[in-house]
Amino acid sequence: MKAISRLGLIVVFGLASLLASQKYDMEQKGALDMSYNKHIYGTPQIEAIKNWGLGTHTAGVISGSVIEGNGGSIEPLTMGQPIQGIRGWNGLGELFTTLQEKYFAIIFLCILLFVPLAFFGHYKIIGARKYNHHSKLQVFNKYNIIVHWFAAVPFVLICITGLMMIFGDKLGGGTLIRFARDLHGLSTPVFIVFGFLMFLMWVKDCLPRSYDIKWLIIMGGYLDKQNRIIPAHKFNAGQKMWFWIATLGGGVMAFTGGVMFFQCTDINTLRLVAIVHNVLGFAVLALLITHIYMAAFAIEGAMEAITNGQMGEEELSMLHSYYYEELKAKGKLDSMRVAGH
């Protein structure tokens, strides 16, 4: 009985000591600190739990934060060293979360609504350009056409599926959005191959020239109802802008998308590439809509240029006057004329 009594006293004494110790620790340490801690995520600690990275191979926070982890970063950027807080750009957690939750989706929505609306107004007020197409010239060959479409189709699919993922919660999520994600990823390698071929094919013709400034000043004549001679070579300044955004910009989009998909860097760099991916996406989407409008609606018969490679001679002589004059000076016009036109 004495042994049992002693054991009971030891247990009671131990519990009392433990409670006293915990009370002392709470008095010394205070309540859990939820204040701003830029050394961890750059956001309030409780928000860090919700943020990108937790539960993945890039997750890992330092001792003393809400959750302790031993996440390791991925070679070769950090040689596989354990994450010690967030290296590099302090504060991106808060910036990324704010942009992701409040701005990205609404900006994409505004582009989807207002850019087509602006072109609808242009079509109603100014109308489509009309030129005589009785005489046609073979401007683009079959290789140009094939490369263009094999780059264009996956590019458009990437844009559509990307928007589906952005508005995934509004579309109900689930199988549809997972399919969009997979199609987004599968379309990217196809675009990379043919986008690179398109870059090599037209990079020389799309280098900026001094007369491109004149084109931009008059907006290519598209704000005028009257047809007039426009300063442009094989591609005008607007087409050149689209070329560089679609090829180099598309390449950056593919790279940043790959980094996010494979999560092959630390969490803060993931946030940086996500911001770049979305911001560049604004320009890509706006110019893609512009490109489609110009090809399908702004100029009557313009789609032929990239379906069969033919352009009306009058259209070429006025909208691409420098190119037409160069062909004329070199005596190439007769060889480019399409039989029967």
Side-chain angles (χ1 to χ4, degrees), residues 318-337:
M318 299 192 76
L319 293 185
H320 302 270
S321 59
Y322 289 179
Y323 181 54
Y324 181 82
E325 291 301 324
E326 180 183 296
L327 294 173
K328 185 178 179 181
K330 293 181 178 180
K332 293 184 177 181
L333 290 177
D334 289 339
S335 63
M336 293 173 64
R337 284 197 172 89

Side-chain angles (χ1 to χ4, degrees), residues 9-66:
L9 289 172
I10 291 172
V11 171
V12 171
F13 180 76
L15 288 173
S17 299
L18 180 61
L19 290 173
S21 175
Q22 287 183 338
K23 182 179 179 181
Y24 175 78
D25 286 342
M26 290 181 66
E27 290 174 350
Q28 293 295 313
K29 296 181 179 179
L32 183 63
D33 181 19
M34 296 295 182
S35 63
Y36 184 82
N37 189 338
K38 66 181 180 180
H39 298 297
I40 301 176
Y41 279 93
T43 58
Q45 291 178 350
I46 195 64
E47 290 300 318
I49 299 176
K50 305 174 185 178
N51 281 354
W52 186 4
L54 192 63
T56 71
H57 55 272
T58 58
V61 293
I62 61 174
S63 176
S65 63
V66 178

Side-chain angles (χ1 to χ4, degrees), residues 74-328:
I74 307 302
E75 296 185 28
L77 294 180
T78 54
M79 303 305 292
Q81 298 169 357
I83 292 177
Q84 299 295 328
I86 296 301
R87 296 176 299 281
W89 308 276
N90 286 328
L92 279 188
E94 186 172 11
L95 175 63
F96 170 76
T97 304
T98 301
L99 292 174
Q100 182 74 10
E101 291 183 355
K102 296 183 179 180
Y103 296 105
F104 283 157
I106 193 66
I107 292 174
F108 277 113
L109 182 61
C110 287
I111 293 171
L112 280 173
L113 291 176
F114 293 115
V115 174
L117 185 62
F119 287 131
F120 178 77
H122 176 272
Y123 188 80
K124 287 296 184 180
I125 297 171
I126 305 296
R129 284 271 181 268
K130 296 181 180 180
Y131 296 95
N132 187 329
H133 286 83
H134 293 308
S135 175
K136 292 187 177 182
L137 301 174
Q138 190 72 41
V139 178
F140 300 108
N141 58 37
K142 290 183 179 180
Y143 176 76
N144 299 149
I145 297 168
I146 291 171
V147 169
H148 172 270
W149 284 110
F150 271 83
V153 171
F155 190 89
V156 172
L157 286 175
I158 290 168
C159 291
I160 293 173
T161 53
L163 289 170
M164 289 175 68
M165 288 188 285
I166 289 170
F167 300 106
D169 57 335
K170 304 298 187 296
L171 297 174
T175 303
L176 176 64
I177 305 306
R178 286 194 294 272
F179 172 76
R181 177 201 62 194
D182 294 339
L183 185 57
H184 193 81
L186 291 172
S187 300
T188 300
V190 181
F191 167 73
I192 290 173
V193 172
F194 287 95
F196 179 68
L197 292 176
M198 187 170 68
F199 177 82
L200 296 178
M201 182 171 69
W202 284 331
V203 62
K204 183 179 178 181
D205 293 317
C206 288
L207 293 174
R209 297 286 185 263
S210 59
Y211 47 76
D212 292 331
I213 299 175
K214 298 178 183 178
W215 189 97
L216 291 170
I217 291 173
I218 63 173
M219 294 298 291
Y222 288 107
L223 300 181
D224 190 348
K225 290 186 177 182
Q226 184 178 356
N227 291 339
R228 53 175 167 158
I229 295 176
I230 304 298
H233 203 261
K234 189 171 185 176
F235 297 105
N236 61 45
Q239 292 168 328
K240 290 179 180 181
M241 288 171 58
W242 172 236
F243 171 83
W244 291 108
I245 287 292
T247 55
L248 293 189
V252 173
M253 292 283 282
F255 173 76
T256 53
V259 171
M260 289 188 291
F261 184 83
F262 294 107
Q263 298 190 16
C264 51
T265 185
D266 62 81
I267 187 173
N268 219 41
T269 305
L270 284 173
R271 292 190 182 113
L272 177 65
V273 297
I275 293 170
V276 172
H277 194 81
N278 281 274
V279 171
L280 192 53
F282 302 152
V284 167
L285 180 60
L287 288 176
L288 174 62
I289 296 171
T290 303
H291 186 64
I292 292 172
Y293 172 73
M294 290 298 175
F297 302 101
I299 305 172
E300 191 177 85
M303 280 294 290
E304 287 190 50
I306 209 61
T307 54
N308 58 23
Q310 299 173 9
M311 291 181 67
E313 185 169 354
E314 183 184 28
E315 176 187 342
L316 189 69
S317 67
M318 299 192 76
L319 293 185
H320 302 270
S321 59
Y322 289 179
Y323 181 54
Y324 181 82
E325 291 301 324
E326 180 183 296
L327 294 173
K328 185 178 179 181

